[in-house]
Amino acid sequence: MIRKFTFGTPFPTEAVVTPCPSESGELPYFSREGGSISCRLAPEIPVYGLGEQVRGINKRGWIYISNCSDEPHHLETRSSLYGAHNFLLLGGDAPFGIFIDYPGKITFDIGYTRGDTLTITPEDWNLDLYLIEAEDHKYTTIVRQFREMIGRSYIPPKWAFGYGQSRWGYKTEADIRQVAENHRKNKIPLDAVYLDIDYMERYKDFTVSKERFPDLPALVSDMKKEGIHLVPIIDAGVKAEEGYFVCEEGLKNGYFCKEEDGREFVGAVWPGQSYFPDMLNPKVRRWFGQKYKILLDMGIDGFWNDMNEPAIFYSPKRLNKVLDQAAAFKGQNLDLDKTNELLGLINTLANNPEDYRSFYHEPGKGRPKIRHDKVHNLYGYNMTRAAGEAFEELEPDKRILMFSRSSYIGMHRYGGIWQGDNLSWWSHLLMNVKMMPSLNMCGFLYTGADLGGFGDDTTEDLMLRWLQFGIFTPLMRNHSAMGTREQEAYRFSNMESLRQIIRLRYCLLPYLYSEYMKAALNNDMMFRPLSFDYPDDREASFVEDQLLLGEGLMLAPVCQQNARGRSVYLPENMLLITTSGPEDFRFREMKAGYHYVEAAENELIFFLRRDHILPLAPAAENVEQLDTTRLRAVAYLSRTGSYQLYDDDGTGKDYENPDHYETLTVSLDGSARRSKPEGHILTAEVFPVSED
């Protein structure tokens, strides 16, 4: 059951696609006082949600702020990251969900000020609030109702589930060819190479540097012959430059955000002083979205949108103000207080709230202009929406890869997200694990972190352990920053272990792709906390570093340096799978309860749940070469079991076609069959469930 309550005059975010009439009664569960609403939190009741945020799966004990932020330091002290995902699920015997559809800054104090109180404070009360309850009191039912309300999650092309290599620092065509050559020479699978800002002409959107990439269409074509897709970045800021066609068109048509007096707002990003397209205006969205055709026509079939919070390094007026104030320090003997004052002044340049309050949107459809900070969290969402709507027009029968840095609920219909500028820290590997179910709740299924870490210097063991988790995430991309250690798999002394783990990704793809598609088509979560499937197991509710993946797997990644194993909690008997590569699988049944499981540095451990089947394909160089007609089945059964496999051509959009489904059936005696005559099960390894 979903109930909607409207306060004031909300800005239409279009996050919700299923209409729901507003109620006029009193808001259940919450009391309203001043500018906040509050409700009591019973002891040990978990609070889930908020999508992309720091800290745990259970959000109790901290203050979180929905305010899309260019935040490169993902520390526990932070309250905001790149996304604004205002959905919470309060657990317990009578759980409920709450979605606050509000595009401005909103604060969630989840037991921080008072341990027994949730307090929600928007900057004003022009919003829609949805309460979601389930008769069966299941967490999964609440999430499914919410997901049905906000619309189907984005579905990428199948090749986008392959391994991708990226680095800010691939500056030339030769760099790209070298990356591809090294992967193929060392037999490391690869489906995509990403182009960061260096492919552009002086960081200008929809341009290509003729000096560094003299013939991009030929490069794209050559890479595709090897099964490799090139994925360029697109930024939010448009360089303010006379003669630059995007700038000229935007100025001529009034498509950029403006200050109150009607002048175009100017903020600096990569290309220096830039204008920001008014992404909330449908005409501007269509204009900007059509620009992707320039690269589509070169053979590109995937993009990533960046800097779209939007990030602002400085505004000229802010810079001049700071420089004038800083001049007063010249010639002074700066003590501690004065030094901190000067540094604090410089640190106000980037992403300053004054700048976000100084420009406006004209959203069209007869709506009045609105100040940016009131709708700040919608910018990245609508930039990606611009691309998604253009792809539907330009490539109506083909899936185009799209993911973004900034997002709001609703953007999940147009693209995925990557989890931003993390660091090569073990704690950020663990944060990657904890973000996955929270993002799935909010509709973001196609997601993953920069494997190995984006900033700082990774280590070989961190790279290996992160890949051991990353082979399960839909977006599997190794990405690093200029100036850090080069972290392509072939650069490490233990390249063979890294190669074998990446090859495992392709073995797992029949299962991972099936579970992704079923989650998207049925509005389910692909990654879940243990408590979602074991609600009566008190111990399961406290587990923060293990996840359920799809219907049959439980993941228990190793997230500690120098560890040679880890403690795990099993809510029921499970089959432990230990592997160091496609030719090395070992199996052991384990009883419910706590265990220490050994896992050497090159070993991946995960679990198959009772009465489930895991289909595995032979390893492949890329998704195009993946052979799903010849599968291996691993089964942990107390009776004859079956698995519903989903497989399609990976590019078309006839998602509901029943021909994409088939059933794999495995019996206790080891006999196995597939419902499609062209499919073969090469081997079926059956492990019977022991009697308790």
Side-chain angles (χ1 to χ4, degrees):
M1 180 178 69
I2 300 176
R3 302 167 67 183
K4 176 183 177 182
F5 299 84
T6 297
F7 300 89
T9 307
F11 183 87
T13 68
E14 300 181 63
V16 173
V17 298
T18 303
C20 180
S22 295
E23 297 188 12
S24 57
E26 203 169 291
L27 180 65
Y29 301 112
F30 290 88
S31 60
R32 184 174 175 186
E33 184 175 344
S36 303
I37 57 171
S38 299
C39 76
R40 297 297 300 274
L41 297 174
E44 295 190 358
I45 293 300
V47 180
Y48 300 110
L50 293 186
E52 185 184 55
Q53 266 292 0
V54 298
R55 297 192 173 234
I57 295 175
N58 181 356
K59 295 296 189 290
R60 285 190 73 150
W62 190 238
I63 292 179
Y64 306 88
I65 300 173
S66 281
N67 185 45
C68 295
S69 303
D70 173 18
E71 179 50 80
H73 304 296
H74 303 179
L75 308 177
E76 286 190 31
T77 54
R78 297 302 189 256
S79 294
S80 299
L81 291 178
Y82 311 95
H85 309 134
N86 304 336
F87 173 74
L88 289 176
L89 194 163
L90 281 71
D93 295 332
F96 66 92
I98 178 171
F99 170 51
I100 300 182
D101 193 4
Y102 177 73
K105 184 177 178 180
I106 183 168
T107 301
F108 298 86
D109 182 335
I110 309 178
Y112 172 77
T113 301
R114 286 183 54 92
D116 62 354
T117 304
L118 162 65
T119 301
I120 302 173
T121 310
E123 289 209 322
D124 61 58
W125 275 88
N126 295 297
L127 56 85
D128 288 319
L129 186 152
Y130 297 82
L131 282 176
I132 307 161
E133 299 166 295
E135 289 186 6
D136 61 9
H137 300 305
K138 290 183 177 179
Y139 298 167
T140 51
T141 303
I142 292 170
V143 172
R144 189 177 300 116
Q145 289 183 91
F146 174 59
R147 294 269 304 281
E148 288 171 353
M149 183 178 78
I150 61 176
R152 175 182 293 172
S153 296
Y154 162 77
I155 296 175
K158 190 188 289 185
W159 63 260
F161 289 84
Y163 180 61
Q165 180 58 52
S166 181
R167 182 172 173 84
W168 175 25
Y170 296 157
K171 293 179 178 293
T172 66
E173 175 182 324
D175 291 339
I176 302 301
R177 292 189 184 276
Q178 188 66 49
V179 170
E181 180 184 343
N182 282 328
H183 276 82
R184 293 295 178 249
K185 179 177 68 178
N186 292 292
K187 298 188 181 303
I188 302 170
L190 185 67
D191 270 276
V193 178
Y194 291 79
L195 306 180
D196 213 309
I197 56 177
D198 294 302
Y199 82 93
M200 302 178 192
E201 178 193 331
R202 292 182 292 121
Y203 312 128
K204 294 187 291 187
D205 279 342
F206 309 113
T207 68
V208 178
S209 168
K210 292 297 184 183
E211 178 184 352
R212 293 189 297 276
F213 291 85
D215 193 345
L216 184 61
L219 177 62
V220 171
S221 177
D222 289 348
M223 291 296 102
K224 282 190 176 179
K225 290 173 185 174
E226 299 186 41
I228 297 171
H229 300 255
L230 298 188
V231 185
I233 197 169
I234 302 293
D235 285 334
V238 171
K239 182 175 176 63
E241 179 180 86
E242 187 176 348
Y244 168 35
F245 69 102
V246 181
C247 176
E248 296 279 7
E249 290 176 23
L251 289 173
K252 178 182 176 181
N253 294 288
Y255 285 163
F256 297 128
C257 293
K258 297 177 179 61
E259 301 199 38
E260 191 169 18
D261 62 6
R263 292 178 299 169
E264 278 74 16
F265 172 77
V266 178
V269 269
W270 298 117
Q273 294 186 16
S274 302
Y275 302 123
F276 295 88
D278 189 351
M279 298 296 184
L280 274 63
N281 187 304
K283 287 183 180 179
V284 180
R285 278 203 305 274
R286 188 175 188 281
W287 166 74
F288 192 84
Q290 292 291 316
K291 295 302 177 198
Y292 288 82
K293 185 177 188 299
I294 295 168
L295 292 161
L296 290 172
D297 288 347
M298 296 182 186
I300 294 294
D301 48 12
F303 302 87
W304 48 311
N305 284 346
D306 194 14
M307 307 296 287
N308 52 353
E309 291 73 34
I312 299 174
F313 293 168
Y314 66 86
S315 67
K317 58 184 179 182
R318 180 76 196 165
L319 177 62
N320 290 333
K321 181 179 179 180
V322 167
L323 291 176
D324 288 343
Q325 291 176 305
F329 291 89
K330 188 175 181 179
Q332 291 190 40
N333 179 10
L334 303 184
D335 60 10
L336 175 64
D337 294 337
K338 288 290 185 181
T339 300
N340 287 337
E341 186 180 346
L342 176 60
L343 292 175
L345 190 61
I346 299 300
N347 289 335
T348 66
L349 284 173
N351 307 313
N352 190 283
E354 286 185 15
D355 286 332
Y356 291 126
R357 288 193 293 266
S358 70
F359 64 95
Y360 290 76
H361 295 272
E362 296 179 359
K365 298 183 179 180
R367 299 172 186 141
K369 71 177 183 181
I370 187 167
R371 204 172 70 194
H372 173 80
D373 63 303
K374 302 291 185 182
V375 290
H376 172 73
N377 294 331
L378 300 182
Y379 195 88
Y381 158 25
N382 280 281
M383 178 184 177
T384 298
R385 178 181 179 179
E389 290 173 340
F391 298 155
E392 286 296 319
E393 182 178 344
L394 299 169
E395 297 280 2
D397 301 318
K398 181 181 178 181
R399 303 182 215 170
I400 304 295
L401 172 62
M402 167 55 69
F403 58 90
S404 170
R405 191 169 78 173
S406 182
S407 59
Y408 182 83
I409 289 173
M411 199 210 81
H412 70 286
R413 301 191 296 269
Y414 303 98
I417 67 168
W418 93 99
Q419 292 159 20
D421 296 345
N422 60 5
L423 295 168
S424 297
W425 295 355
W426 289 89
S427 60
H428 282 185
L429 164 56
L430 183 58
M431 187 183 297
N432 182 192
V433 175
K434 294 180 179 183
M435 271 190 199
M436 296 302 292
S438 301
L439 284 165
N440 277 199
M441 290 177 210
C442 298
F444 293 95
L445 297 182
Y446 190 74
T447 184
D450 288 343
L451 303 177
F454 175 72
D456 287 348
D457 296 325
T458 197
T459 59
E460 187 169 290
D461 57 342
L462 176 58
M463 190 75 245
L464 188 53
R465 291 300 194 192
W466 215 323
L467 282 171
Q468 289 170 4
F469 178 68
I471 65 170
F472 295 104
T473 62
L475 171 59
M476 184 188 181
R477 182 179 75 150
N478 177 343
H479 183 44
S480 56
M482 185 185 300
T484 65
R485 179 182 188 175
E486 294 175 305
Q487 61 187 47
E488 294 85 359
Y490 51 77
R491 296 190 183 277
F492 293 93
S493 59
N494 195 5
M495 180 186 70
E496 179 60 17
S497 293
L498 294 163
R499 183 175 78 89
Q500 294 295 352
I501 290 298
I502 295 169
R503 291 179 72 223
L504 274 171
R505 164 63 163 217
Y506 293 80
C507 300
L508 290 162
L509 268 182
Y511 177 82
L512 297 174
Y513 187 70
S514 291
E515 294 305 308
Y516 185 97
M517 294 302 295
K518 288 184 283 189
L521 297 176
N522 299 322
N523 295 304
D524 285 329
M525 297 169 63
M526 188 175 177
F527 292 85
R528 303 179 304 285
L530 269 59
S531 59
F532 277 51
D533 288 38
Y534 303 98
D536 298 325
D537 187 328
R538 183 175 178 274
E539 295 298 310
S541 68
F542 297 118
V543 175
E544 290 264 323
D545 60 351
Q546 299 171 211
L547 299 176
L548 301 171
L549 168 53
E551 66 176 59
L553 297 186
M554 186 183 78
L555 309 182
V558 176
C559 299
Q560 287 187 320
Q561 188 171 19
N562 299 320
R564 292 299 180 266
R566 58 155 294 164
S567 295
V568 297
Y569 176 71
L570 306 185
E572 61 178 340
N573 293 2
M574 293 186 183
L575 184 70
L576 168 66
I577 302 175
T578 303
T579 174
S580 58
E583 288 77 38
D584 172 36
F585 280 89
R586 285 153 281 153
F587 308 95
R588 178 161 60 99
E589 184 183 38
M590 300 191 74
K591 299 290 187 181
Y594 286 98
H595 302 269
Y596 182 83
V597 179
E598 293 185 354
E601 186 177 282
N602 67 331
E603 288 181 329
L604 164 67
I605 57 170
F606 62 103
F607 296 83
L608 182 61
R609 299 172 68 188
R610 177 188 179 116
D611 291 320
H612 285 88
I613 297 167
L614 173 64
L616 297 169
E621 288 293 301
N622 53 50
V623 169
E624 187 179 337
Q625 294 183 15
L626 191 69
D627 184 0
T628 57
T629 67
R630 298 160 58 82
L631 296 180
R632 171 186 184 184
V634 176
Y636 179 52
L637 303 174
S638 62
R639 60 184 184 276
T640 296
S642 64
Y643 178 75
Q644 187 182 57
L645 183 74
Y646 184 103
D647 196 25
D648 58 19
D649 65 6
T651 61
K653 298 179 180 178
D654 59 336
Y655 305 123
E656 287 85 0
N657 188 335
D659 290 341
H660 298 331
Y661 294 89
E662 70 168 307
T663 302
L664 281 59
T665 304
V666 179
S667 302
L668 281 170
D669 63 5
S671 60
R673 65 183 185 275
R674 296 175 67 167
S675 59
K676 288 187 175 180
E678 68 272 19
H680 303 280
I681 295 181
L682 301 179
T683 59
E685 296 165 88
V686 179
F687 300 88
V689 176
S690 299
E691 294 295 329
D692 291 329

